[in-house]
């Protein structure tokens, strides 16, 4: 187990130690894991190149650190408790031993299909235990997993498979989400038409619906697993070998394949899980995220299982069958730590207190949030109604690229303050810089959030495009990792995250690039041009507002075109990317160099008219039209 901080002075002491001697600090933590060969150097780095390596030449397999390391004590302890979408269907428990055997079986299946160390395996699965099995089986044989969120469209899936060059895709006949059945296999079939690289598709039977079958390519999971051996020796890997690729949105159209490597990610997710949530052996921990996003990777699967925890995995949605589903699950399994998003909290808050107030949830000890800024109202509701005033809230700030939590209270140790992520974890060195890159020291400052020193969990590159990695994170402020977030440090030295300052928007905790949505809108034959910005939304945090130039649009058919544009975006990206509001305009505010002045659009959708300097606009007269047509 990793060392656990238990007091405020302990935190201050560890933090100081991590700054004074980072290599010594992280070595001490890494030593608690099982390595085939110890590392010869703890850290090598250069943020200008950029290059970061941790635990150099160390050899290990991450799944041995989940299984072999824990089986002696925890063979019969639940590793995963799976709660199905429909509460009347039986739940499933996989003990450490059972999960171990399933992982080994599937590792053997992958091997029998010719998957080797370094190959990429793509997954397009609902929240079912097979997803965890596939991830860990891939890691067991040294292959690289690339999970695509099951809400993405065929086009988005195909784009990700092609970028990663994955030869195998694992999917399901479908998935349940509330009252809906999602036709995953059908979408996967559509995607595969444009992914010549895919040789085999493995299909898990989940919904039992009729699906199309391609005898040359499709294989049933249950057929393959039937005779597979439950033992598979772990491939010995280098600490800096890749563990997974996870695509996320950036400020340009193409999604970024964030790459994490084995050793550093392992040490970082385990350490942050244990310390932030103050997990105690025997606790039941429930993270309500989806494994298709980084939160699920790091804090449903890797962090908890590396620490020998019992992790609850939920297939459904918080409002099905009724808006008390989370609270039911918490009581059913005696959950001690619960982790969700501000959007989920706001949507449940809107359903009324009666749904939560009837649940005592006596076992709850810690509450967490992630993915977007939490507003004070939601924070207090979470604290008072869910936590009954007795559970600390950990507002955890981090990103796909950071691998694990960076700024957050340690539960019950660092005093909280609504809407503040509070203080950096040991080993994390945030700096605030102004737009010229000048570091802003001291209290009561606001600016761009950067990190000035490497931490083990950080992404090492973007798959196949190291130059883009440099451009995206290390070029705005040379020598620093730039997060894309704005931040404020208050009089207590506490950090408050203000949200993205680049062309990324955060809708219901989902990260979307405005450029991707614009590209999708522009595909419509009637659209000449478009610009997308986020606007404050009471439930989703940010909503999507699209300004669309469609000169040929027939008069009076606005609503029809709006609907068709929304459908188009759902089809090209995902239903989560559908614009909430679409305003048809005759032009967009542009500078002489032809760039859209987004600052003005952002002001308009916030209902503000304080545009600042507009003298570089070629068409200042357009502003009045935009304000007039603004869709409240
Ligand atoms: C935002 C999710 C405020 C932020 C783990 C970041 C937050 C982006 C918080 C990353 C928080 C995440 N408070 N904002 N506690 N946590 N964010 O990659 O803008 O999906 O840059 O990772 O979410 O989103 P991603």
């Amino acid at each position: 187990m990793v060392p656990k901080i238990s007091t405020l002075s302990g935190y201050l002491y560890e933090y100081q130690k991590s700054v004074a001697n980072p290599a010594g600090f992280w070595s001490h933590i890494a030593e608690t894991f099982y390595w085939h060969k110890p590392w010869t150097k703890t850290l090598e780095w250069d943020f200008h190149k950029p290059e970061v390596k941790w635990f150099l030449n160390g050899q290990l397999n991450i799944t041995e650190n989940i299984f072999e390391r824990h089986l002696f004590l925890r063979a019969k302890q639940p590793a995963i408790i799976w709660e199905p979408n429909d509460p009347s269907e039986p739940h499933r428990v996989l003990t450490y031993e059972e999960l171990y055997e399933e992982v080994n079986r599937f590792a053997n299946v992958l091997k029998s299909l010719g998957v080797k160390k370094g190959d990429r395996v793509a997954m397009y699965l609902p929240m079912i235990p097979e997803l965890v099995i596939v991830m860990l089986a891939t890691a067991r044989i040294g292959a690289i997993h690339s999970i695509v969120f099951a809400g993405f469209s065929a086009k988005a899936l195909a784009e990700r498979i092609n970028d990663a060059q994955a030869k195998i895709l694992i999917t399901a006949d479908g998935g349940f989400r509330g009252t809906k059945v999602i036709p995953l296999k059908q979408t996967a079939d559509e995607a595969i038409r444009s992914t010549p690289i895919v040789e085999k598709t493995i299909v898990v039977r989940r919904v039992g619906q009729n699906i199309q079958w391609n005898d040359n390519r499709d294989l049933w999971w249950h057929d393959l697993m039937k005779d597979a051996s439950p033992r598979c020796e772990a491939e010995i890997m280098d600490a800096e070998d890749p563990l997974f690729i996870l695509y996320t949105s950036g400020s340009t159209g193409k999604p970024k394949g964030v790459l994490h490597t084995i050793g550093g990610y392992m040490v970082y997710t385990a350490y942050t899980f244990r310390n932030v949530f103050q997990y105690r052996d025997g606790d039941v921990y429930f993270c309500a995220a989806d494994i298709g996003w980084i939160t699920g990777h790091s804090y449903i699967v890797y962090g908890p299982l590396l620490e020998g925890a019992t992790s609850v995995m939920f297939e459904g949605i918080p409002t099905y069958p009724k808006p008390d589903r989370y609270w039911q699950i918490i009581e059913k399994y005696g959950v001690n730590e619960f982790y969700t998003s501000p959007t989920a909290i706001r949507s449940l808050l809107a359903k009324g207190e009666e749904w939560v107030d009837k649940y005592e949830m006596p076992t709850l000890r810690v509450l967490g949030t992630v993915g977007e800024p939490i507003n004070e109202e939601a924070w207090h509701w979470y604290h008072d109604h869910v936590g009954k005033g007795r559970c600390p809230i950990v507002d955890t700030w981090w990103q796909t690229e950071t691998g694990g939590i960076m700024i957050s209270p340690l539960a019950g140790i660092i005093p909280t303050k609504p809407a503040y992520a509070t203080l950096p974890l040991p080993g994390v060195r945030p700096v605030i810089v102004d737009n010229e890159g000048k570091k802003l020291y001291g209290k009561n400052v606001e600016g761009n959030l950067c990190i000035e020193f490497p931490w083990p969990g950080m992404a090492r590159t973007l798959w196949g495009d190291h130059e883009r990695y440099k451009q995206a994170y290390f070029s705005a402020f040379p020598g620093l990792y730039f997060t894309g977030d704005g931040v404020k440090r208050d009089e207590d030295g506490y950090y408050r995250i203000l949200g993205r300052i680049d062309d990324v928007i955060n809708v219901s905790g989902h990260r979307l690039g405005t450029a991707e949505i614009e590209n999708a809108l522009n595909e419509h034959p009637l659209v000449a041009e478009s610009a997308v910005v986020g606007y404050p939304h009471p439930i989703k945090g940010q909503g999507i507002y699209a300004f669309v130039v469609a000169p040929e649009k027939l008069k009076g058919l606005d609503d029809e075109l709006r609907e068709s544009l929304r459908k188009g975006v759902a089809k090209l990206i995902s239903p989560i990317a559908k614009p909430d509001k679409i305003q048809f305009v005759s032009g967009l505010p542009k500078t002489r160099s032809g760039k859209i002045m987004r600052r003005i659009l952002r002001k308009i959708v916030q209902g503000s008219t304080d545009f600042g300097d507009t003298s570089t606009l070629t068409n200042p007269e357009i502003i009045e039209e935009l304000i007039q047509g603004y869709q409240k």
Side-chain angles (χ1 to χ4, degrees):
M1 281 337 116
V2 297
K4 188 168 163 188
I5 296 168
S6 52
T7 58
L8 186 56
S9 59
Y11 160 75
L12 295 170
Y13 175 73
E14 291 296 316
Y15 191 83
Q16 285 312 322
K17 228 168 56 176
S18 77
V19 172
N21 177 7
F25 174 81
W26 287 112
S27 268
H28 176 62
I29 294 163
E31 274 159 14
T32 62
F33 292 86
Y34 176 59
W35 298 78
H36 282 266
K37 227 179 80 193
W39 52 101
T40 52
K41 192 174 178 196
T42 308
L43 170 65
E44 223 173 71
W45 71 291
D46 178 347
F47 274 180
H48 288 278
K49 260 183 180 172
E51 183 183 82
V52 174
K53 289 181 178 163
W54 283 92
F55 313 115
L56 286 85
N57 304 311
Q59 291 187 345
L60 77 163
N61 185 290
I62 196 167
T63 69
E64 287 184 329
N65 280 283
I66 291 175
F67 298 117
E68 278 82 348
R69 184 156 147 265
H70 290 304
L71 278 174
F72 183 70
L73 281 176
R74 306 187 191 281
K76 305 288 176 227
Q77 180 196 313
I80 297 284
I81 299 176
W82 175 75
E83 171 73 9
N85 177 60
D86 178 348
S88 64
E89 193 188 327
H91 68 277
R92 268 175 79 183
V93 175
L94 285 153
T95 63
Y96 271 84
E97 189 173 41
E98 288 161 345
L99 182 61
Y100 171 67
E101 297 203 334
E102 291 290 290
V103 165
N104 281 301
R105 278 196 189 95
F106 198 69
N108 283 319
V109 166
L110 288 174
K111 274 184 161 177
S112 72
L113 296 173
V115 180
K116 296 199 180 55
K117 178 172 173 171
D119 287 350
R120 276 78 57 211
V121 177
M123 290 134 214
Y124 187 64
L125 281 165
M127 283 287 286
I128 52 178
E130 285 79 0
L131 177 51
V132 180
I133 295 167
V134 173
M135 285 169 90
L136 299 178
T138 308
R140 184 102 181 148
I141 64 168
I144 305 169
H145 58 75
S146 173
I147 300 177
V148 181
F149 172 60
F152 274 120
S153 69
K155 180 165 178 283
L157 172 61
E159 204 174 9
R160 286 159 176 76
I161 291 174
N162 283 330
D163 189 81
Q165 290 283 289
K167 286 193 291 191
I168 306 268
L169 172 68
I170 295 125
T171 186
D173 58 348
F176 294 116
R177 251 184 90 74
T179 54
K180 293 193 200 127
V181 178
I182 316 290
L184 295 175
K185 173 69 163 62
Q186 191 187 319
T187 309
D189 285 341
E190 200 183 322
I192 288 174
R193 274 181 228 134
S194 50
T195 61
I197 179 85
V198 173
E199 292 165 8
K200 295 284 176 217
T201 313
I202 301 174
V203 187
V204 179
R205 183 177 281 150
R206 172 66 188 119
V207 298
Q209 282 193 344
N210 276 342
I211 49 174
Q212 299 231 333
W213 200 257
N214 175 336
D215 282 329
N216 296 325
R217 191 197 64 208
D218 298 343
L219 300 160
W220 280 115
W221 168 280
H222 49 264
D223 288 341
L224 296 167
M225 289 290 269
K226 212 169 41 214
D227 301 318
S229 156
R231 293 284 173 272
C232 174
E233 202 157 312
E235 186 79 28
I236 299 177
M237 306 296 289
D238 190 275
E240 280 297 333
D241 279 336
L243 176 63
F244 65 83
I245 304 168
L246 180 59
Y247 286 88
T248 186
S249 295
S251 37
T252 58
K254 199 170 159 266
K256 301 193 278 201
V258 172
L259 183 100
H260 284 285
T261 57
I262 302 169
Y265 178 83
M266 171 182 81
V267 170
Y268 198 70
T269 52
Y271 180 74
T272 51
F273 167 72
R274 173 74 67 177
N275 280 285
V276 169
F277 297 101
Q278 291 289 300
Y279 182 86
R280 297 181 196 159
D281 274 6
D283 278 356
V284 177
Y285 160 89
F286 174 23
C287 167
D290 191 293
I291 294 177
W293 308 108
I294 192 69
T295 304
H297 280 62
S298 301
Y299 297 109
I300 296 178
V301 183
Y302 285 110
L305 298 184
L306 283 161
E307 284 299 291
T310 294
S311 181
V312 176
M313 168 180 188
F314 175 41
E315 183 185 35
I317 54 171
T319 48
Y320 178 79
K322 298 268 159 53
D324 57 355
R325 192 66 193 281
Y326 282 165
W327 327 130
Q328 252 177 23
I329 296 173
I330 290 169
E331 288 211 338
K332 182 168 173 188
Y333 301 116
V335 168
N336 305 102
E337 298 88 12
F338 175 59
Y339 193 26
T340 190
S341 66
T343 290
I345 297 165
R346 285 190 295 263
S347 69
L348 295 172
L349 179 159
K351 303 280 179 200
E353 281 148 22
E354 60 277 18
W355 291 107
V356 60
D357 285 352
K358 59 183 176 199
Y359 292 87
E360 285 290 323
M361 300 183 277
T363 53
L364 262 188
R365 214 174 52 236
V366 175
L367 300 174
T369 72
V370 59
E372 37 173 336
I374 181 164
N375 49 313
E376 296 201 17
E377 187 194 1
W379 195 97
H380 285 293
W381 188 85
Y382 199 31
H383 185 262
D384 298 346
H385 293 278
V386 181
K388 317 291 177 197
R390 61 180 161 73
C391 304
I393 294 179
V394 291
D395 175 355
T396 65
W397 173 83
W398 59 295
Q399 312 179 291
T400 305
E401 295 85 346
T402 68
I405 298 167
M406 300 286 281
I407 303 182
S408 166
L410 305 180
I413 292 175
I414 294 177
T416 59
K417 198 183 282 198
Y420 280 78
T422 74
L423 297 173
L425 299 190
V428 174
R429 286 159 61 175
V431 282
I432 303 180
V433 299
D434 67 13
N435 289 341
E436 279 66 54
K438 192 163 94 21
K439 291 185 184 172
L440 305 174
Y441 296 102
K443 309 205 159 153
N444 287 318
V445 290
E446 195 177 310
N448 303 295
L449 176 59
C450 294
I451 314 286
E452 63 177 346
F453 196 86
W455 62 103
M458 71 186 292
R460 302 297 196 260
T461 190
L462 294 178
W463 179 254
D465 199 347
H466 197 67
E467 187 50 37
R468 190 167 174 216
Y469 172 72
K470 180 175 180 172
Q471 278 306 322
Y473 309 108
F474 297 93
S475 64
F477 306 105
L480 302 175
Y481 166 84
F482 175 46
T483 63
D485 280 314
V487 71
K488 169 180 150 186
R489 188 166 48 224
D490 76 351
E491 62 282 359
D492 297 324
Y494 272 22
Y495 291 86
R496 178 177 189 152
I497 309 298
L498 304 171
R500 301 290 305 199
I501 44 188
D502 52 7
D503 293 328
V504 169
I505 50 181
N506 198 326
V507 180
S508 302
H510 300 315
R511 222 172 117 169
L512 296 166
T514 52
E516 311 176 65
I517 306 173
E518 289 160 9
N519 291 347
L521 291 168
N522 298 350
E523 291 272 309
H524 195 285
L526 293 181
V527 173
E529 214 185 351
S530 61
V532 166
V533 290
Y535 71 95
H537 187 284
I539 305 263
K540 301 197 222 179
Q542 277 190 301
I544 304 174
Y545 196 112
F547 293 90
V548 173
V549 184
E552 310 281 312
K553 169 177 68 78
L554 289 175
K555 259 203 150 37
L557 291 183
D558 294 24
D559 284 343
E560 220 163 280
L561 181 56
R562 275 198 189 97
E563 205 32 47
S564 134
L565 287 172
R566 287 161 53 82
K567 279 203 183 117
V569 173
K571 178 124 190 70
L572 291 173
I573 309 174
S574 162
I576 57 180
K578 283 199 283 198
D580 298 278
K581 294 180 181 175
I582 298 176
Q583 178 181 350
F584 294 109
V585 295
S586 67
L588 297 166
K590 289 201 178 159
T591 63
R592 273 180 216 110
S593 57
K595 271 184 81 168
I596 299 169
M597 213 187 253
R598 288 168 187 279
R599 178 163 62 80
I600 292 181
L601 302 177
R602 286 193 203 108
K603 290 280 183 197
I604 291 175
V605 300
Q606 285 167 15
S608 159
T609 49
D610 172 19
F611 300 124
D613 180 12
T614 53
S615 61
T616 56
L617 278 182
T618 48
N619 54 345
E621 68 287 351
I622 197 77
I623 296 180
E624 198 42 46
E625 180 199 322
L626 299 186
I627 296 173
Q628 289 306 324
Y630 166 55
Q631 318 257 300
K632 275 216 185 68

